[in-house]
Amino acid sequence: DAGITQSPRHKVTETGTPVTLRCHQTENHRYMYWYRQDPGHGLRLIHYSYGVKDTDKGEVSDGYSVSRSKTEDFLLTLESATSSQTSVYFCAISVAGSRPEAFFGQGTRLTVV
Amino acid sequence: GENVGLHLPTLSVQEGDNSIINCAYSNSASDYFIWYKQESGKGPQFIIDIRSNMDKRQGQRVTVLLNKTVKHLSLQIAATQPGDSAVYFCAESALSGGYQKVTFGIGTKLQVIP
């Protein structure tokens, strides 16, 4: 999986609680992404990062924040989890912004009850 | 994820036959078109991409065809094997603010019949 580790792999949390998902890469790639995957919607971009402390919003960013303090780590935070955020979350990395090829982690299954 | 295959278009193919997975895209300005494979419980895996100025590209046992006139993309898998069973996503990519913004389709589930 191209040196990408997501943690935790599974999490169940209660509505209203904060949750942080972690993505760690060993490839030193500049670009990192967080996607969510839901049946009928495919993969949708939440946030992405193009360098340390450089992040931007994707198409479904409401309710999510991210941080990247080191090249290798990209954190996704749900400030106050809602049931609509139950999903599988994937982190991805890419070598260069000019090329579309991305490498994905194994995913984190998050359930908000 | 494990449930990604639910409610998806499904293609059933006999082992050894060729598979053709089709995709329609929407953005005429896309720079690249990409195919990903996702096995149950795993993240998507890059298969092959094609630049918008090409109409065909071949990889190992796979061929991608691009028809810009009708905005259609296809992935052909030769001699389909049981290990090819997965969900296949097409995606289109356009340069946006210095990076390739990728939009994924909902996927097609490929079932290989032994």
Side-chain angles (χ1 to χ4, degrees):
Chain A
D1 292 313
I4 307 169
T5 304
Q6 290 185 231
S7 59
R9 291 294 314 279
H10 301 271
K11 187 171 180 65
V12 179
T13 192
E14 293 186 348
T15 299
T17 60
V19 177
T20 295
L21 308 183
R22 181 181 183 237
C23 177
H24 178 80
Q25 61 145 331
T26 59
E27 306 297 319
N28 202 36
H29 286 354
R30 178 181 175 187
Y31 292 84
M32 298 186 75
Y33 312 83
W34 276 107
Y35 288 90
R36 61 178 288 175
Q37 184 173 46
D38 305 288
H41 289 279
L43 286 149
R44 292 180 292 175
L45 182 65
I46 305 171
H47 280 281
Y48 68 97
S49 170
Y50 46 96
V52 174
K53 297 186 180 179
D54 291 323
T55 65
D56 207 345
K57 296 179 179 180
E59 60 180 307
V60 290
S61 60
D62 287 349
Y64 302 94
S65 63
V66 289
S67 66
R68 191 166 178 202
S69 59
K70 298 184 289 184
T71 299
E72 57 266 35
D73 290 326
F74 192 30
L75 304 180
L76 176 71
T77 297
L78 290 67
E79 301 291 347
S80 178
T82 67
S83 59
S84 65
Q85 294 176 311
T86 293
S87 187
V88 180
Y89 291 85
F90 286 99
C91 173
I93 63 175
S94 65
V95 175
S98 59
R99 289 281 296 129
E101 180 179 357
F103 302 95
F104 284 80
Q106 292 275 51
T108 295
R109 178 170 290 279
L110 176 67
T111 303
V112 183
V113 298
Chain B
E2 288 85 3
N3 294 332
V4 70
L6 297 179
H7 314 300
L8 288 177
T10 300
L11 175 67
S12 296
V13 175
Q14 203 73 36
E15 181 179 355
D17 288 350
N18 296 335
S19 303
I20 301 176
I21 302 171
N22 296 302
C23 177
Y25 65 90
S26 58
N27 187 359
S28 300
S30 293
D31 303 301
Y32 288 90
F33 300 89
I34 315 117
W35 283 99
Y36 282 88
K37 172 186 180 183
Q38 186 176 26
E39 296 174 276
S40 182
K42 296 186 177 181
Q45 179 184 6
F46 175 87
I47 302 173
I48 191 169
D49 65 2
I50 185 169
R51 290 195 68 153
S52 59
N53 60 356
M54 301 171 64
D55 52 24
K56 181 179 180 179
R57 189 174 184 209
Q58 290 185 292
Q60 187 177 11
R61 265 197 323 116
V62 296
T63 301
V64 58
L65 298 178
L66 176 63
N67 184 331
K68 293 182 285 293
T69 302
V70 294
K71 296 185 181 177
H72 184 266
L73 183 70
S74 69
L75 178 71
Q76 300 178 3
I77 304 173
T80 311
Q81 303 168 358
D84 296 325
S85 291
V87 176
Y88 290 81
F89 293 95
C90 67
E92 51 186 309
S93 177
L95 195 61
S96 173
Y99 91 107
Q100 285 288 337
K101 179 181 177 182
V102 181
T103 304
F104 288 83
I106 65 168
T108 297
K109 185 176 183 179
L110 177 65
Q111 290 181 329
V112 181
I113 304 166

